[in-house]
Amino acid sequence: MNQNKNALLLLTGISLFMAACGTSKTGLITIQEQGSFAVGGKVIASPGTFDPYKPTPAGQTFHGDHAYVFYQIPPKARKYPLVMWHGIGQFSKTWETTPDGREGYQNIFLRRGFGVYVLDQPRRGNAGRSTAAGTINPTPDEQQWFGTFRVGIWPNYFEGVQFARDTATLNQYFRSMVPNVGPIDIGVTTDAAAALFQKIGPGVLVTHSHSGGMGWLTAIKNQNVKGIVAYEPGSGFLFPEGEVPAPIEMAGGQMAAVGVPMSQFMQLTKIPIIIYYGDFIPEKPSDNPGTDGWRARMVMARLWRDAVNRHGGDVTVVHLPEVGLKGNTHFPFSDLNNLQVADLMSKFLKDKKLD
Amino acid sequence: MNQNKNALLLLTGISLFMAACGTSKTGLITIQEQGSFAVGGKVIASPGTFDPYKPTPAGQTFHGDHAYVFYQIPPKARKYPLVMWHGIGQFSKTWETTPDGREGYQNIFLRRGFGVYVLDQPRRGNAGRSTAAGTINPTPDEQQWFGTFRVGIWPNYFEGVQFARDTATLNQYFRSMVPNVGPIDIGVTTDAAAALFQKIGPGVLVTHSHSGGMGWLTAIKNQNVKGIVAYEPGSGFLFPEGEVPAPIEMAGGQMAAVGVPMSQFMQLTKIPIIIYYGDFIPEKPSDNPGTDGWRARMVMARLWRDAVNRHGGDVTVVHLPEVGLKGNTHFPFSDLNNLQVADLMSKFLKDKKLD
């Protein structure tokens, strides 16, 4: 009895210590430094002389096209921080609290000891100061995203989908989008991302969907990108000029590849890259545009893997159902099984000595 | 010698403990919970039936006009969390890292044990999904803001201004703005802020500039607002109908008050409110529109204080130079002396039993 009591006291002591200092999954998060900054961008100016007493645009400047970054660094952080870049129509929220209120990759990898930088790309979200004009109309589009993001075929959820089925979750999900304040400009976005890696030094880039292709370009622009984890890259697969495959037909369009000079392409052979795709991607062409596009993109991703590896690279494509993770949508990192999805990423980082 | 050594060891031990578990100004930040969510807002819909195989806007929805909130709760948090609401053209960045790279109110008050919620108001920043259309032009305007925010009279800084004079600081300062994605709608913004207080329960609202007036309205809409700290409120002073003072003339315009029914006004007499204004506000009318507007607003704030207190309220107006804090701009909470500015706020919260 006394022994049990002592053991209990010891355990209580350990628990209290962990509660005070720990970084366990349910315990406290400890942060050595956190903050935010703008990075990259440009300055435009109106000609003339500024008159502070009768101000007009004359002689004034406009700083825009930067990315906005919020970062957190834990104590004794691992070797490389993670830079997390959202996909189309999204912003940093992608990596934060999940639509059903659980922890996303921001917290998960902070708890695992990584510095985490979440980015809003230029002309989106908190980086909304665009040097190009834009008109924004609130066009109802959410049922289509429900399909494109492979939650289901509206109004039905996919059987076994890793997505909570309550209305509060769907409400948060739909509100996690923001419009493009100005036109998407791949040069502008990748310049800003490259400027971020210039500022912070070596790190690992984690991309999603539309940022996948921009991620390859960023790695070409800045060699501080030491590895890439790409969730469901959706466009911009870069092949050497002369080796560009034919576009792949898909419901409602084509998936086309992009040619770049060999010298640029070869940068992508120098870092480990892993690509993940989730579930509900048809093997054969389908008339559902929500899922068929992902079939075409995964085919293209495998062609790209083969091209990079043929030139000496290290690209892996993982179709999650093939390694036992079923039911994932286009957002595996925020799906109900995101801790398991994160475990795969942790293993990749460890295997490639990126942690 | 030995005694000194022991003392040194003890101090080292204490330092290590504080480094591991502490929340001192330079030590670690510990967080029990952090995350983000959308709150409030509405849903618009296109008539018709959605066809997932041939999608058009027909039958689709659009969730918009919510606020976006990022929050952090320290362990053993103080009684009331702080909800921090930015001003005109700004977003949550207002409270984050200062333009010169020091800690802002988000970190300062987290370290002081408060839960901190930083908000992007509907149609701004990460809450950019607006149900009303908008057109955004990149109009050069920064030299005017430099004046309106009382950093100086471009290109000159005010003598003694609490603002770092390097170009990197100015670059970050100008990039901390974002456009309105849709028109500012006071009903929409205050509904979302009231919904936030409905969700999180009792708390203290910290406003800046344009959110000052919206803060009073939020407190009328939701009695979970238990106190307000308003930095340089700029518009929307609410008086009882029949007691509305005449507009105050100022360079380039007028500062007008707003009338509300007595029953609404009386809500504002039930909570402690403190208002701070910084330095470089002229005593007499000036032809510099950058500073003269603040003269008019501070005059109005004092009339408002008198009206609320006459009806039994508890409003204090503090002109910072009068209590010894000199050189503050329109952003006292991020100025070089922001720890002293924060100390005043801490004292208010303590005096009013809001901490």
Side-chain angles (χ1 to χ4, degrees):
Chain A
M1 190 64 186
N2 244 358
Q3 221 170 17
N4 283 349
K5 210 168 175 180
N6 283 343
L8 188 67
L9 276 175
L10 182 64
L11 280 172
T12 306
I14 290 171
S15 302
L16 282 173
F17 178 78
M18 285 183 68
C21 299
T23 52
S24 70
K25 274 176 194 171
T26 51
L28 302 186
I29 297 175
T30 53
I31 292 169
Q32 179 154 358
E33 191 188 336
Q34 72 173 18
S36 64
F37 55 84
V39 66
K42 58 191 171 200
V43 183
I44 59 177
S46 289
T49 304
F50 177 65
D51 178 356
Y53 294 90
K54 298 222 182 301
T56 68
Q60 297 207 62
T61 58
F62 181 98
H63 288 61
D65 290 355
H66 47 269
Y68 163 84
V69 176
F70 181 77
Y71 71 95
Q72 297 180 294
I73 313 291
K76 295 182 188 160
R78 289 171 188 260
K79 186 168 152 200
Y80 293 132
L82 305 173
V83 173
M84 300 184 179
W85 189 350
H86 57 76
I88 201 103
Q90 312 285 317
F91 62 103
S92 60
K93 182 81 176 97
T94 294
W95 314 104
E96 298 168 7
T97 306
T98 65
D100 54 294
R102 290 168 301 106
E103 295 198 330
Y105 264 27
Q106 180 181 47
N107 285 12
I108 290 171
F109 281 94
L110 200 51
R111 290 186 186 281
R112 292 183 184 188
F114 291 88
V116 175
Y117 292 73
V118 292
L119 175 154
D120 289 354
Q121 75 184 35
R123 308 181 180 177
R124 185 87 59 80
N126 284 342
R129 203 161 165 85
S130 164
T131 67
T135 297
I136 298 161
N137 288 303
T139 307
D141 59 358
E142 292 165 345
Q143 283 62 30
Q144 185 171 357
W145 289 121
F146 183 92
T148 302
F149 293 161
R150 301 200 319 282
V151 181
I153 301 175
W154 186 268
N156 301 307
Y157 290 78
F158 284 129
E159 180 72 24
V161 68
Q162 297 277 0
F163 192 93
R165 298 187 184 208
D166 56 295
T167 54
T169 294
L170 208 54
N171 181 57
Q172 289 293 321
Y173 192 62
F174 287 149
R175 293 182 190 281
S176 72
M177 299 195 77
V178 286
N180 295 306
V181 173
I184 297 180
D185 181 319
I186 301 297
V188 165
T189 54
T190 55
D191 278 354
L196 172 60
F197 277 94
Q198 198 57 38
K199 178 181 168 71
I200 68 172
V204 172
L205 182 55
V206 183
T207 64
H208 178 223
S209 196
H210 192 221
S211 63
M214 298 192 282
W216 323 137
L217 278 169
T218 302
I220 289 171
K221 288 186 178 182
N222 195 311
Q223 292 172 44
N224 280 335
V225 179
K226 295 301 181 192
I228 297 179
V229 178
Y231 287 96
E232 303 221 340
S235 60
F237 287 98
L238 309 176
F239 291 79
E241 285 161 357
E243 298 181 30
V244 181
I248 299 169
E249 299 297 324
M250 61 190 210
Q254 280 188 331
M255 173 69 208
V258 178
V260 293
M262 182 62 86
S263 61
Q264 292 183 18
F265 176 83
M266 287 305 289
Q267 289 294 336
L268 300 174
T269 67
K270 296 178 182 165
I271 55 172
I273 295 173
I274 196 159
I275 295 174
Y276 296 101
Y277 286 96
D279 207 342
F280 313 115
I281 298 177
E283 284 187 29
K284 293 178 183 170
S286 154
D287 60 352
N288 174 10
T291 59
D292 198 53
W294 300 109
R295 176 192 58 77
R297 292 179 184 109
M298 192 161 65
V299 169
M300 185 62 84
R302 286 170 170 157
L303 291 176
W304 186 73
R305 168 199 63 194
D306 294 344
V308 178
N309 292 350
R310 191 163 62 236
H311 287 279
D314 178 12
V315 175
T316 307
V317 175
V318 177
H319 188 200
L320 291 173
E322 292 172 12
V323 295
L325 292 193
K326 313 255 188 193
N328 282 107
T329 73
H330 183 49
F331 291 66
F333 40 75
S334 60
D335 283 341
L336 291 173
N337 61 347
N338 66 344
L339 283 169
Q340 290 169 274
V341 175
D343 287 347
L344 290 183
M345 175 167 144
S346 285
K347 183 172 185 311
F348 165 77
L349 296 174
K350 185 177 165 65
D351 289 349
K352 302 299 179 183
K353 299 189 173 25
L354 294 169
D355 66 345
Chain B
M1 190 64 186
N2 243 359
Q3 218 170 18
N4 283 348
K5 212 169 176 179
N6 283 343
L8 188 66
L9 277 174
L10 182 64
L11 281 172
T12 307
I14 290 171
S15 301
L16 283 173
F17 178 78
M18 286 184 68
C21 300
T23 52
S24 69
K25 273 175 194 171
T26 52
L28 301 186
I29 297 176
T30 53
I31 291 169
Q32 179 155 357
E33 191 187 336
Q34 72 173 19
S36 65
F37 55 84
V39 66
K42 57 190 171 201
V43 183
I44 59 177
S46 289
T49 304
F50 176 64
D51 178 357
Y53 295 91
K54 299 223 182 298
T56 68
Q60 297 207 61
T61 58
F62 181 98
H63 288 61
D65 290 354
H66 45 269
Y68 162 84
V69 177
F70 181 77
Y71 71 95
Q72 296 180 294
I73 313 291
K76 295 182 187 159
R78 289 171 187 262
K79 186 169 154 199
Y80 294 131
L82 306 173
V83 172
M84 299 183 181
W85 189 350
H86 57 76
I88 201 102
Q90 312 285 317
F91 62 102
S92 60
K93 181 80 175 98
T94 294
W95 314 104
E96 298 167 8
T97 306
T98 66
D100 54 295
R102 291 168 301 106
E103 295 199 329
Y105 264 27
Q106 180 182 46
N107 285 13
I108 291 170
F109 283 94
L110 200 51
R111 290 186 187 281
R112 293 184 184 187
F114 291 88
V116 174
Y117 292 73
V118 292
L119 174 153
D120 288 355
Q121 75 185 35
R123 307 181 180 177
R124 184 87 60 80
N126 285 342
R129 204 161 164 84
S130 164
T131 67
T135 297
I136 299 161
N137 289 302
T139 307
D141 59 359
E142 291 164 345
Q143 283 63 30
Q144 187 171 355
W145 289 121
F146 183 91
T148 302
F149 294 162
R150 301 199 320 281
V151 181
I153 301 176
W154 186 269
N156 301 307
Y157 290 78
F158 284 130
E159 180 72 24
V161 68
Q162 297 277 0
F163 192 94
R165 298 188 183 206
D166 56 296
T167 54
T169 293
L170 207 54
N171 181 57
Q172 289 293 321
Y173 192 61
F174 288 150
R175 293 183 189 281
S176 71
M177 300 194 78
V178 286
N180 295 306
V181 174
I184 296 179
D185 181 320
I186 302 296
V188 164
T189 53
T190 56
D191 277 354
L196 172 60
F197 276 94
Q198 198 57 38
K199 177 180 169 72
I200 69 173
V204 172
L205 182 55
V206 184
T207 64
H208 178 223
S209 196
H210 193 220
S211 64
M214 298 193 282
W216 323 138
L217 278 169
T218 302
I220 289 171
K221 287 187 178 182
N222 195 310
Q223 292 173 43
N224 280 334
V225 178
K226 295 301 181 193
I228 298 179
V229 178
Y231 288 95
E232 302 221 340
S235 60
F237 287 98
L238 309 176
F239 291 79
E241 286 161 357
E243 298 181 30
V244 181
I248 299 169
E249 299 298 324
M250 61 191 210
Q254 279 188 331
M255 173 69 209
V258 179
V260 293
M262 182 62 86
S263 61
Q264 291 183 18
F265 175 84
M266 288 304 289
Q267 288 293 337
L268 300 173
T269 67
K270 295 178 183 166
I271 56 173
I273 295 173
I274 196 159
I275 295 174
Y276 297 101
Y277 286 96
D279 207 342
F280 313 114
I281 298 176
E283 284 187 32
K284 294 179 183 170
S286 155
D287 60 351
N288 175 10
T291 60
D292 198 53
W294 300 109
R295 176 192 58 78
R297 292 178 184 110
M298 192 161 67
V299 169
M300 185 62 85
R302 286 170 170 158
L303 291 176
W304 185 73
R305 169 199 63 196
D306 295 342
V308 178
N309 291 350
R310 191 163 61 237
H311 288 279
D314 178 13
V315 175
T316 306
V317 175
V318 177
H319 188 200
L320 291 173
E322 291 173 13
V323 297
L325 292 193
K326 312 257 187 191
N328 282 107
T329 74
H330 183 49
F331 291 65
F333 39 76
S334 59
D335 282 341
L336 291 173
N337 62 347
N338 68 343
L339 283 168
Q340 290 169 274
V341 175
D343 287 346
L344 289 184
M345 177 168 143
S346 285
K347 183 171 185 309
F348 166 77
L349 295 174
K350 184 175 164 64
D351 288 349
K352 301 301 179 182
K353 300 189 174 21
L354 295 169
D355 66 346

